[in-house]
Each structure stands twice: as C-alpha cells, then as structure tokens.
Amino acid sequence: MKSWYLLYCKPRDEVRAQQNLALQEVESYLPMITQQKTVRNKSQMVTVPLFPSYLFIYFDPQVTSVSKIHNTRGANRIVGCREDMTPIDDRIISALKRRVQGHVPEVEKPLSKGDKVKFIDGPFKDLEAIFDENNPDKRCHVLFTIMGQQKRILVELDNLQAIENKTDS
C-alpha cells in the first residue's frame, strides 16, 4: 500500500532527487518557502527547502524497490529504513502542505539614513542611536549621543535593531 516516507538527500540535491524520482513515477513533495537573504550586501527573496536535504516520497515498497529509491541520483537513504519502514501519516503531510501554502515570508526593511536604532549586543546594548550609512563588511555608521555630543561611530550591523516609529493619534 502506498504511504509517505522521508527521504534523506545528498546536500543541496533535493530538487535533483525529486526530478529523478518523477522519472521513475514516484510521487514526491518538497516543501519550499520564500525567505529574505542577503547576498553581496543586497537583500533578495529566495525560495529554499523548508527541510534542507529532506524530501517526502509517496510509494509502495512492495511495488517499487527500496534499493531503486536509494540508488536514485540525488537521494541518499530513506529515513528509518531498517527491517520495517515506518510510514508518515497522510494528515501530517496535508497539514504541512497547508502551512507551507499559507507561509508569508518576513521581510526585513533595510535601514535608511535617519532611522532610529537600538543596540542589541555589545558595549552599547539597549542604548539608542540614529542610523547614518552602510559600510562594507556588514558594518555601518551610526550617530550616537554620548556626554552631550553626537559622535559618528562604526559598528557591526548585526548589533543593531530598528526601532518602530510610533505615531501619536
């Protein structure tokens, strides 16, 4: 009887395994989500596997040989495949499909000159500053008021968090 199983794939080969399984008429499901990534100091939206290196496959081990699945290009092995394979409940796969379909990626707005920021790490933790400009190597300049004077300092971008501007109604 056909059931869902979890297939561990070679690193970054989930799509290749899925394509090769399709050629063997084995149904598969690769949950993909969209997320924001920073590449070369540019933020972009990319689609990535929800579970890297894993693919759900739907087949009958009595009809399709397990060794045929294991020898599929891009595939590594079926998880939990020893003497008795444990199938995944159809409801789990259905719920996963619904959640992935309803996934809304979190988009982080890049900081702009004049934005209020708060230090979340380092010696200035919990203090506020004003974002001035980005610098290479994941650093940026901020305007920081210390002892009544505003100083421009270079800090790690990862140490900052934008402060939401609250408007009074």
Side-chain angles (χ1 to χ4, degrees):
M1 187 162 119
K2 279 188 167 186
S3 294
W4 286 101
Y5 297 93
L6 186 59
L7 177 67
Y8 179 68
C9 300
K10 293 177 181 162
R12 293 176 296 287
D13 258 359
E14 308 90 348
V15 173
R16 174 185 277 177
Q18 187 176 38
Q19 291 169 341
N20 289 312
L21 288 166
L23 293 172
Q24 299 172 43
E25 298 180 0
V26 174
E27 184 182 343
S28 62
Y29 173 55
L30 178 59
M32 302 285 279
I33 59 169
T34 303
Q35 57 183 204
Q36 186 176 11
K37 292 248 179 176
T38 303
V39 180
R40 293 184 202 104
N41 284 339
K42 294 202 180 206
S43 184
Q44 59 189 17
M45 300 303 285
V46 294
T47 303
V48 296
L50 180 59
F51 306 112
S53 297
Y54 289 95
L55 178 66
F56 295 96
I57 55 175
Y58 188 69
F59 77 108
D60 185 350
Q62 304 299 325
V63 176
T64 305
S65 165
V66 170
S67 64
K68 188 176 179 183
I69 302 286
H70 285 167
N71 291 321
T72 299
R73 191 174 198 144
N76 196 331
R77 63 182 161 71
I78 298 174
V79 176
C81 181
R82 297 272 189 269
E83 292 174 20
D84 192 25
M85 292 180 19
T86 307
I88 298 171
D89 191 334
D90 290 343
R91 293 176 293 186
I92 293 173
I93 301 298
S94 297
L96 187 59
K97 286 180 178 180
R98 281 193 307 275
R99 291 193 97 173
V100 166
Q101 192 174 29
H103 172 74
V104 177
E106 287 184 21
V107 179
E108 194 174 297
K109 180 183 157 264
L111 293 171
S112 301
K113 187 172 184 149
D115 286 352
K116 286 187 178 183
V117 293
K118 180 171 91 172
F119 289 92
I120 55 172
D121 199 16
F124 302 118
K125 186 175 180 178
D126 295 328
L127 296 177
E128 293 182 7
I130 298 171
F131 183 81
D132 192 33
E133 69 176 349
N134 270 325
N135 233 26
D137 303 327
K138 296 189 177 184
R139 292 178 169 216
C140 65
H141 284 102
V142 295
L143 301 174
F144 185 66
T145 304
I146 186 164
M147 298 179 73
Q149 294 184 340
Q150 196 170 55
K151 299 289 182 186
R152 187 172 189 246
I153 59 173
L154 185 64
V155 297
E156 296 286 326
L157 191 57
D158 293 341
N159 291 344
L160 299 176
Q161 177 182 29
I163 298 174
E164 295 291 324
N165 288 333
K166 295 179 179 148
T167 56
D168 294 325
S169 301

